[in-house]
Amino acid sequence: PAPWLPKWMGDAVYIDPNNGDDANDGRSAATPRRTLPAAHPPPGEALLIKAGTTLRANARYFGGDPALPVRFGVYGPGRATWSGGLQTALSLTGPGGWELENIDFACAGAELCGPDVIVLHIATTAPGGHLVLRNVSVSGGGLMGFDWQNDGM
């Protein structure tokens, strides 16, 4: 697992947008997937993108468990880019339970993004939630780059 993951954390899904294969299980750096899995990561799991690559994907995750956060990060030295193209790259909604690290969230370009595009959207819905952002940048977005709706934390 990535060095920032505590040893008690669960499994990880490894994504290599350049050299991965969706026929792989994605459970190790040696067998990464190319795209995001269709299922939401369960509490305590990590979704790790290969450093130095750009993941082009749109994802919406609902739920979250503050006691067992889902972690979005990288494997290998450096950072990864997550581009939503002309839509939101990542939207997280629920009671909290997310950690994001070493990812640059980006739009395809400010001139290409629609007027309502939010690159990274997080909505916490319950008190006592858990949200950690480490080394995260957000750029682009027609409406705004980053939107955090704090309805409970």
Side-chain angles (χ1 to χ4, degrees):
W4 53 272
L5 288 173
K7 292 182 180 180
W8 57 268
M9 290 306 296
D11 293 327
V13 173
Y14 293 79
I15 308 290
D16 181 343
N18 297 338
N19 299 306
D21 185 336
D22 285 344
N24 291 340
D25 64 7
R27 291 300 179 179
S28 74
T31 60
R33 294 180 48 85
R34 180 179 296 269
T35 63
L36 293 172
H40 293 224
E45 189 162 288
L47 193 146
L48 304 174
I49 305 165
K50 185 172 183 178
T53 64
T54 298
L55 175 66
R56 289 172 176 80
N58 311 104
R60 294 178 186 267
Y61 295 115
F62 302 93
D65 182 342
L68 288 170
V70 173
R71 295 158 191 252
F72 300 86
V74 301
Y75 67 98
R79 303 172 64 80
T81 299
W82 187 330
S83 174
L86 304 179
Q87 300 176 359
T88 300
L90 179 62
S91 177
L92 303 171
T93 303
W98 304 295
E99 296 191 3
L100 291 76
E101 183 172 28
N102 292 331
I103 301 175
D104 299 317
F105 291 92
C107 188
E111 70 282 356
L112 298 176
C113 288
D116 298 326
V117 171
I118 300 169
V119 178
L120 175 61
H121 173 258
I122 300 173
T124 54
T125 59
H130 177 88
L131 172 64
V132 175
L133 305 173
R134 292 184 203 101
N135 261 343
V136 171
S137 70
V138 180
S139 61
L143 180 61
M144 65 183 71
F146 176 57
D147 178 38
W148 178 23
Q149 297 173 0
N150 181 4
D151 297 331
M153 284 177 73

